Amino acid sequence: MSEFWFKIFYAIAWFFFNLVHPGRAIGRENVPQDACLLCGNHTRYSDPLFILFAMGRKDHPYIMAKGELLRYPVLGWILKKVGVFGVDRGKSDVKAIKEALRVLKEGHKLLLFPEGTRFRSGETQGAKTGAAMLALRTGVPIVPIWMPAKKKWFRRTPVVFGEAYYPEMPEGAKPTNEDYRRVADDLLARIMALGAQHGN
């Protein structure tokens, strides 16, 4: 990530984005100062920007996004400069996993969407196990995040940060696929609970 390019991108994008899609952070104090996983529901392409601006310029995360976005010549260059790295969905992307582990172990925050893709209606087909695997392998806390599916133009969209928590680790053994599934399901339940509490 280039701090120079990030500051330029942030200033330009924040100005134009907030003219039409202002956000409102709720529970921002729940985000730890050190490394953590930021995990939100995903309904629009703009979701990362809502979370990024709710976090603030000085506490920005790295972002894991679908790999196709980084293959566009200009867009891909910009995204890489501001801390976005790609993951090829539908297969085990070892390079992306290693990059995510590095980011967390170096003390940075990482934003990803555990559902793996957008569900525009706000309904979900379940969470993938990637976030669970990263949390259990690195020992960092998870911050669940909820946003409404409909983002109204020129109206403030709430970005709700839930309490950070450490997923339960299995005792005396390496995590199994069942452990990852349990943590993933619990994470999604926490995100949906925020929606039930703060949704309209």
Side-chain angles (χ1 to χ4, degrees):
M1 178 188 296
S2 167
E3 289 292 334
F4 172 78
W5 285 109
F6 179 86
K7 290 178 181 178
I8 293 177
F9 165 81
Y10 189 97
I12 296 173
W14 184 93
F15 176 78
F16 288 103
F17 190 81
N18 279 274
L19 285 177
V20 295
H21 272 313
R24 176 168 59 94
I26 300 174
R28 174 65 182 79
E29 65 278 4
N30 289 325
V31 180
Q33 293 184 352
D34 299 322
C36 65
L37 274 169
L38 302 166
C39 298
N41 61 317
H42 198 13
T43 63
R44 297 292 186 274
Y45 283 120
S46 58
D47 290 338
L49 290 175
F50 277 107
I51 296 175
L52 188 67
F53 296 139
M55 290 286 295
R57 182 175 62 83
K58 294 182 179 180
D59 196 23
H60 54 83
Y62 283 76
I63 301 174
M64 178 184 283
K66 63 179 181 180
E68 301 96 288
L69 293 177
L70 279 78
R71 297 189 183 106
Y72 293 103
V74 178
L75 177 62
W77 182 85
I78 294 173
L79 293 177
K80 290 176 183 178
K81 288 294 184 180
V82 300
V84 179
F85 62 94
V87 56
D88 288 328
R89 298 177 299 181
K91 63 180 182 180
S92 180
D93 190 338
V94 176
K95 182 179 179 181
I97 293 172
K98 288 183 177 180
E99 179 65 9
L101 292 171
R102 180 194 68 80
V103 166
L104 293 170
K105 289 179 179 179
E106 290 183 357
H108 304 294
K109 295 176 176 62
L110 175 62
L111 168 62
L112 56 82
F113 297 95
E115 294 166 287
T117 189
R118 292 174 300 124
F119 294 99
R120 295 181 63 86
S121 65
E123 297 178 356
T124 180
Q125 296 182 12
K128 308 297 183 183
T129 57
M133 181 273 293
L134 292 173
L136 291 180
R137 288 185 61 177
T138 60
V140 302
I142 301 175
V143 179
I145 303 171
W146 176 84
M147 296 164 288
K150 293 183 179 179
K151 282 80 170 176
K152 298 180 180 179
W153 292 83
F154 308 106
R155 298 281 298 276
R156 289 196 176 275
T157 296
V159 180
V160 184
F161 296 88
E163 293 186 6
Y165 72 98
Y166 291 90
E168 182 180 350
M169 287 284 292
E171 296 184 3
K174 292 183 178 180
T176 64
N177 290 334
E178 288 74 19
D179 294 318
Y180 295 146
R181 171 48 50 201
R182 171 181 51 81
V183 172
D185 291 343
D186 176 62
L187 167 59
L188 189 58
R190 290 172 185 256
I191 293 172
M192 294 299 106
L194 291 175
Q197 181 180 356
H198 294 273
N200 296 325

Short mmCIF file of all heavy atoms in Angstrom, two decimals, residues 6 31-32 37-38 50 52 60-61 67-68 70 80 96 105 110 139 150 167-168 173 182 198:
data_model
loop_
_atom_site.label_atom_id
_atom_site.label_comp_id
_atom_site.label_asym_id
_atom_site.label_seq_id
_atom_site.Cartn_x
_atom_site.Cartn_y
_atom_site.Cartn_z
N PHE A 6 -2.84 6.57 -1.37
CA PHE A 6 -4.06 6.39 -0.59
C PHE A 6 -4.65 7.73 -0.17
O PHE A 6 -5.86 7.95 -0.27
CB PHE A 6 -3.80 5.53 0.65
CG PHE A 6 -5.03 5.34 1.49
CD1 PHE A 6 -5.91 4.31 1.21
CD2 PHE A 6 -5.31 6.20 2.54
CE1 PHE A 6 -7.07 4.14 1.96
CE2 PHE A 6 -6.46 6.03 3.31
CZ PHE A 6 -7.34 5.00 3.01
N VAL A 31 -14.00 -0.94 17.14
CA VAL A 31 -12.89 -1.42 16.31
C VAL A 31 -11.58 -1.31 17.09
O VAL A 31 -11.21 -0.23 17.55
CB VAL A 31 -12.77 -0.60 15.01
CG1 VAL A 31 -11.60 -1.11 14.16
CG2 VAL A 31 -14.07 -0.67 14.22
N PRO A 32 -10.86 -2.42 17.28
CA PRO A 32 -9.58 -2.38 18.00
C PRO A 32 -8.55 -1.52 17.28
O PRO A 32 -8.64 -1.30 16.07
CB PRO A 32 -9.14 -3.85 18.04
CG PRO A 32 -10.37 -4.64 17.74
CD PRO A 32 -11.20 -3.78 16.84
N LEU A 37 -9.98 -8.43 11.84
CA LEU A 37 -10.73 -8.70 10.62
C LEU A 37 -12.01 -7.89 10.65
O LEU A 37 -12.78 -7.98 11.62
CB LEU A 37 -11.06 -10.18 10.50
CG LEU A 37 -10.02 -11.09 9.86
CD1 LEU A 37 -10.41 -12.55 10.07
CD2 LEU A 37 -9.90 -10.80 8.36
N LEU A 38 -12.25 -7.09 9.63
CA LEU A 38 -13.49 -6.34 9.48
C LEU A 38 -14.36 -7.10 8.49
O LEU A 38 -13.98 -7.24 7.32
CB LEU A 38 -13.21 -4.93 8.98
CG LEU A 38 -12.27 -4.08 9.85
CD1 LEU A 38 -11.79 -2.87 9.07
CD2 LEU A 38 -12.95 -3.67 11.14
N PHE A 50 -18.18 2.67 1.80
CA PHE A 50 -18.92 3.04 3.00
C PHE A 50 -18.11 2.70 4.26
O PHE A 50 -18.00 3.50 5.19
CB PHE A 50 -20.27 2.32 3.05
CG PHE A 50 -21.35 3.00 2.26
CD1 PHE A 50 -21.79 2.46 1.06
CD2 PHE A 50 -21.93 4.17 2.71
CE1 PHE A 50 -22.80 3.08 0.33
CE2 PHE A 50 -22.93 4.80 1.99
CZ PHE A 50 -23.37 4.25 0.80
N LEU A 52 -14.81 2.07 4.44
CA LEU A 52 -13.55 2.81 4.43
C LEU A 52 -13.73 4.22 5.00
O LEU A 52 -12.96 4.66 5.85
CB LEU A 52 -13.01 2.89 3.00
CG LEU A 52 -11.61 3.47 2.83
CD1 LEU A 52 -10.57 2.56 3.44
CD2 LEU A 52 -11.31 3.68 1.34
N HIS A 60 -7.14 3.17 8.13
CA HIS A 60 -7.70 2.46 7.00
C HIS A 60 -7.21 1.01 6.94
O HIS A 60 -6.08 0.70 7.30
CB HIS A 60 -7.35 3.18 5.70
CG HIS A 60 -5.88 3.43 5.53
ND1 HIS A 60 -5.03 2.47 5.03
CD2 HIS A 60 -5.11 4.52 5.80
CE1 HIS A 60 -3.79 2.97 4.99
NE2 HIS A 60 -3.82 4.20 5.44
N PRO A 61 -8.06 0.11 6.48
CA PRO A 61 -7.68 -1.30 6.36
C PRO A 61 -7.16 -1.65 4.97
O PRO A 61 -7.35 -0.90 4.01
CB PRO A 61 -9.02 -2.01 6.60
CG PRO A 61 -10.02 -1.07 5.98
CD PRO A 61 -9.49 0.33 6.23
N GLY A 67 -10.62 -10.97 -7.64
CA GLY A 67 -9.45 -10.76 -8.45
C GLY A 67 -9.70 -10.09 -9.78
O GLY A 67 -8.81 -9.40 -10.31
N GLU A 68 -10.92 -10.25 -10.33
CA GLU A 68 -11.22 -9.65 -11.63
C GLU A 68 -11.03 -8.13 -11.62
O GLU A 68 -10.62 -7.54 -12.63
CB GLU A 68 -12.66 -9.96 -12.06
CG GLU A 68 -12.97 -11.43 -12.17
CD GLU A 68 -13.60 -11.99 -10.91
OE1 GLU A 68 -12.87 -12.12 -9.91
OE2 GLU A 68 -14.81 -12.28 -10.94
N LEU A 70 -8.85 -6.30 -10.19
CA LEU A 70 -7.47 -5.85 -10.29
C LEU A 70 -6.87 -6.13 -11.66
O LEU A 70 -5.72 -5.74 -11.93
CB LEU A 70 -6.62 -6.51 -9.21
CG LEU A 70 -6.72 -5.84 -7.83
CD1 LEU A 70 -8.00 -6.25 -7.13
CD2 LEU A 70 -5.52 -6.14 -6.97
N LYS A 80 -4.49 -1.47 -6.27
CA LYS A 80 -3.28 -2.01 -5.65
C LYS A 80 -2.54 -0.94 -4.84
O LYS A 80 -1.99 -1.22 -3.78
CB LYS A 80 -2.35 -2.58 -6.73
CG LYS A 80 -2.87 -3.85 -7.38
CD LYS A 80 -1.95 -4.31 -8.50
CE LYS A 80 -2.51 -5.54 -9.21
NZ LYS A 80 -1.64 -5.96 -10.34
N ALA A 96 -3.39 -15.31 -2.33
CA ALA A 96 -4.24 -14.37 -1.61
C ALA A 96 -4.28 -14.69 -0.11
O ALA A 96 -4.27 -13.78 0.72
CB ALA A 96 -5.66 -14.39 -2.19
N LYS A 105 -0.66 -10.50 10.39
CA LYS A 105 0.48 -10.76 11.28
C LYS A 105 1.36 -9.54 11.45
O LYS A 105 2.07 -9.41 12.45
CB LYS A 105 1.29 -11.95 10.75
CG LYS A 105 0.56 -13.29 10.91
CD LYS A 105 1.37 -14.44 10.35
CE LYS A 105 0.64 -15.76 10.53
NZ LYS A 105 1.40 -16.91 9.95
N LEU A 110 -7.78 -5.85 8.16
CA LEU A 110 -8.15 -6.42 6.86
C LEU A 110 -9.67 -6.46 6.73
O LEU A 110 -10.36 -6.98 7.59
CB LEU A 110 -7.58 -7.83 6.72
CG LEU A 110 -7.97 -8.60 5.46
CD1 LEU A 110 -7.48 -7.88 4.20
CD2 LEU A 110 -7.42 -10.03 5.49
N GLY A 139 -5.26 -15.55 15.23
CA GLY A 139 -5.65 -15.17 16.58
C GLY A 139 -6.13 -13.74 16.71
O GLY A 139 -6.21 -13.22 17.83
N LYS A 150 -30.39 -1.37 0.85
CA LYS A 150 -30.73 -0.19 0.05
C LYS A 150 -30.00 1.03 0.58
O LYS A 150 -30.18 1.40 1.74
CB LYS A 150 -32.24 0.04 0.07
CG LYS A 150 -33.03 -1.05 -0.64
CD LYS A 150 -34.51 -0.71 -0.65
CE LYS A 150 -35.31 -1.80 -1.37
NZ LYS A 150 -36.77 -1.49 -1.36
N PRO A 167 -13.12 -15.61 18.04
CA PRO A 167 -13.84 -16.88 17.86
C PRO A 167 -13.23 -17.97 18.72
O PRO A 167 -12.02 -17.97 18.98
CB PRO A 167 -13.67 -17.18 16.37
CG PRO A 167 -12.48 -16.39 15.95
CD PRO A 167 -12.45 -15.17 16.80
N GLU A 168 -14.07 -18.88 19.14
CA GLU A 168 -13.62 -19.95 20.03
C GLU A 168 -12.67 -20.89 19.29
O GLU A 168 -12.98 -21.41 18.22
CB GLU A 168 -14.82 -20.73 20.55
CG GLU A 168 -14.46 -21.83 21.52
CD GLU A 168 -15.68 -22.57 22.02
OE1 GLU A 168 -16.80 -22.10 21.74
OE2 GLU A 168 -15.51 -23.62 22.67
N ALA A 173 -5.78 -29.07 19.22
CA ALA A 173 -5.67 -29.57 17.86
C ALA A 173 -5.80 -28.42 16.87
O ALA A 173 -6.28 -27.34 17.21
CB ALA A 173 -6.74 -30.62 17.59
N ARG A 182 -18.27 -23.63 11.69
CA ARG A 182 -18.94 -23.14 12.90
C ARG A 182 -18.67 -21.65 13.11
O ARG A 182 -19.59 -20.88 13.40
CB ARG A 182 -18.45 -23.94 14.12
CG ARG A 182 -18.91 -23.39 15.45
CD ARG A 182 -18.36 -24.21 16.60
NE ARG A 182 -16.92 -24.40 16.51
CZ ARG A 182 -16.02 -23.49 16.88
NH1 ARG A 182 -16.42 -22.31 17.34
NH2 ARG A 182 -14.73 -23.75 16.80
N HIS A 198 -30.57 -2.70 14.07
CA HIS A 198 -30.45 -1.33 13.56
C HIS A 198 -31.20 -1.09 12.26
O HIS A 198 -31.27 0.05 11.79
CB HIS A 198 -28.97 -0.98 13.34
CG HIS A 198 -28.18 -0.93 14.61
ND1 HIS A 198 -28.09 0.20 15.38
CD2 HIS A 198 -27.45 -1.89 15.24
CE1 HIS A 198 -27.32 -0.05 16.44
NE2 HIS A 198 -26.92 -1.31 16.36
#
